[in-house]
Amino acid sequence: MDDYEHLDPDESEYTPVDHTAQRLALLTMEEAHDLLRLLLTVAQEEGPMSPEADRLAKEIAARIPSEN
């Protein structure tokens, strides 16, 4: 999972960032819902990151509209 050699930053869809400037990254609604689902999955696994995943899931869920 740590093998990122096949990734070429010049071919990514992301905009290059000036590392001397502060950037506020925004998620699309679809990305926010994907992240929420991932956090909920981690929160339900009862591992060491469960409490933090649960906290973050609640924070995100409070800020985005539901999918339905």
Side-chain angles (χ1 to χ4, degrees), residues 29-66:
M29 193 62 63
E30 183 179 350
E31 290 170 331
H33 284 285
D34 289 346
L35 179 58
L36 180 56
R37 281 190 292 275
L38 175 65
L39 288 168
L40 289 171
T41 299
V42 172
Q44 293 172 355
E45 290 182 356
E46 298 183 19
M49 295 305 296
S50 295
E52 183 66 4
D54 185 56
R55 184 189 71 76
L56 290 170
K58 288 175 184 173
E59 291 291 332
I60 291 172
R63 290 173 168 78
I64 62 174
S66 66

Side-chain angles (χ1 to χ4, degrees), residues 1-43:
M1 189 165 204
D2 291 331
D3 182 18
Y4 296 107
E5 292 177 10
H6 65 283
L7 298 177
D8 183 357
D10 294 328
E11 293 179 10
S12 76
E13 297 175 22
Y14 301 104
T15 305
V17 176
D18 176 4
H19 294 288
T20 62
Q22 186 176 15
R23 177 179 172 202
L24 176 60
L26 300 176
L27 299 175
T28 66
M29 193 62 63
E30 183 179 350
E31 290 170 331
H33 284 285
D34 289 346
L35 179 58
L36 180 56
R37 281 190 292 275
L38 175 65
L39 288 168
L40 289 171
T41 299
V42 172

